[in-house]
Amino acid sequence: MNYEQLCQRLSNVYDTGEAKAIVRWVLDVRFGLSTADIYCGKVTQLSPNDQAELEKIMQRLEKAEPVQYVLGVADFCGRQFHVALGVLIPRPETAELCHLIANDGGANILDIGTGSGCIAITLALDIADSKVTAWDISDDALAIAQQNAKTLGADVSFEKKDALNISQTSNIWDVIVSNPPYICRKEADEMEENVLRYEPYTALFVPDDDPLLFYRHIMNYAISALRQDGRLYFEINPVYADSIVEQLQQLGFVDILKIDDQFGKTRFIKAFKR
């Protein structure tokens, strides 16, 4: 099959632009074909073994399986992270959060709910002299995160801990960051099929009657665990931005900022402990 035919096969799953981008990424990552190679027709010159592998990939993509799971990698902050079923695929919005934290700096950093390790590893590599710890409750996620840290040469301490059952500590961290589950189950009908069918349910959803479940537990921990002038960062559901700010204020956090992502949605919150 040529490039145009491959794109057409994904037309029932993705719009034209996204289908083309996915096919180009597959041909680049798995078969080493540049954009120039693709438009010169080198897709049709793949070896029989490569053609067979490409067909298997296309069949998985036609079932709406995310291309990151199919290839086993996701691009994030200029690096490639290994991903697999059981960890959330890193999003561009989360990369914005990392850039925000890296610009602010910090020595002792805690990432709660690390998943693939994308936040913790990025901060460890991008903030000089930082000491980063990352928690997750999932053994599968921790194994993938540890593999990513080793591959990318990041020094991160990974620990199995439940964000909903954290023992209180005092004055340990300069920075606490979390991108916890924040989608209510009632919102599932509005989500794309490939997310619902393949990405880990527990990393996405919270109960409809308690959308701030994880935020509440994390901020209650952070108000004592952060050092003076320490910072708490959240990635959030924009719908609950004001509610999160209100709870942070009640706990005593100050200088609370709501920050928009590249799409103009309120996606991050930054707060200080004084």
Side-chain angles (χ1 to χ4, degrees):
M1 281 195 174
N2 61 34
Y3 169 64
E4 289 76 15
Q5 290 171 322
L6 293 170
C7 296
Q8 183 60 36
R9 287 180 60 174
L10 300 184
S11 62
N12 292 330
V13 183
Y14 302 101
D15 62 36
T16 301
E18 192 168 7
K20 289 181 177 180
I22 288 172
V23 171
R24 286 197 299 268
W25 198 45
V26 167
L27 294 172
D28 176 18
V29 171
R30 189 54 57 89
F31 302 102
L33 296 182
S34 67
T35 301
D37 291 333
I38 293 168
Y39 287 111
C40 287
K42 291 190 178 181
V43 177
T44 60
Q45 300 172 23
L46 291 172
S47 69
N49 286 341
D50 283 347
Q51 290 178 23
E53 183 180 358
L54 178 57
E55 177 59 28
K56 291 178 182 178
I57 290 171
M58 291 302 299
Q59 289 178 10
R60 292 175 66 180
L61 293 173
E62 286 174 308
K63 295 177 182 177
E65 185 174 350
V67 63
Q68 293 90 343
Y69 290 151
V70 174
L71 297 179
V73 295
D75 289 337
F76 186 82
C77 289
R79 303 179 179 95
Q80 277 199 343
F81 285 75
H82 171 57
V83 294
L85 296 174
V87 298
L88 199 67
I89 295 169
R91 266 43 176 199
E93 296 89 336
T94 307
E96 293 183 62
L97 176 61
C98 288
H99 293 317
L100 175 67
I101 300 170
N103 286 336
D104 292 341
N108 292 293
I109 301 171
L110 172 63
D111 173 27
I112 300 179
T114 197
S116 65
C118 62
I119 293 176
I121 292 167
T122 298
L123 297 180
L125 293 173
D126 289 352
I127 301 178
D129 300 321
S130 60
K131 182 179 180 181
V132 181
T133 300
W135 295 349
D136 207 289
I137 195 173
S138 165
D139 290 325
D140 290 340
L142 288 170
I144 289 172
Q146 288 170 334
Q147 177 185 339
N148 280 324
K150 182 178 180 180
T151 300
L152 293 168
D155 185 8
V156 178
S157 175
F158 293 98
E159 301 176 15
K160 183 176 182 178
K161 290 199 176 183
D162 182 357
L164 301 182
N165 187 24
I166 310 174
S167 299
Q168 289 296 324
T169 54
S170 299
N171 304 315
I172 294 179
W173 313 105
D174 298 303
V175 172
I176 295 176
V177 55
S178 185
N179 176 22
Y182 58 65
I183 301 171
C184 290
R185 294 186 179 96
K186 63 185 178 183
E187 299 177 74
D189 291 342
E190 303 171 10
M191 298 177 65
E192 295 180 3
E193 178 188 5
N194 58 345
V195 175
L196 289 173
R197 286 179 58 185
Y198 293 99
E199 298 207 51
Y201 193 89
T202 55
L204 292 169
F205 291 103
V206 288
D208 289 342
D209 61 354
D210 196 3
L212 303 187
L213 174 65
F214 286 90
Y215 295 102
R216 187 173 62 255
H217 281 269
I218 292 168
M219 66 177 71
N220 279 324
Y221 170 75
I223 195 62
S224 63
L226 282 170
R227 294 172 175 165
Q228 185 176 2
D229 295 324
R231 307 184 307 277
L232 173 63
Y233 298 84
F234 282 136
E235 183 170 329
I236 67 167
N237 183 336
V239 173
Y240 302 109
D242 290 338
S243 298
I244 294 172
V245 168
E246 182 179 349
Q247 292 196 19
L248 287 167
Q249 290 172 334
Q250 290 173 355
L251 284 171
F253 284 94
V254 297
D255 299 332
I256 302 167
L257 296 176
K258 294 185 292 184
I259 302 169
D260 290 349
D261 64 18
Q262 61 184 318
F263 305 109
K265 293 185 177 180
T266 302
R267 184 65 64 187
F268 316 111
I269 285 180
K270 172 183 173 181
F272 286 82
K273 174 188 175 181
R274 297 300 190 196

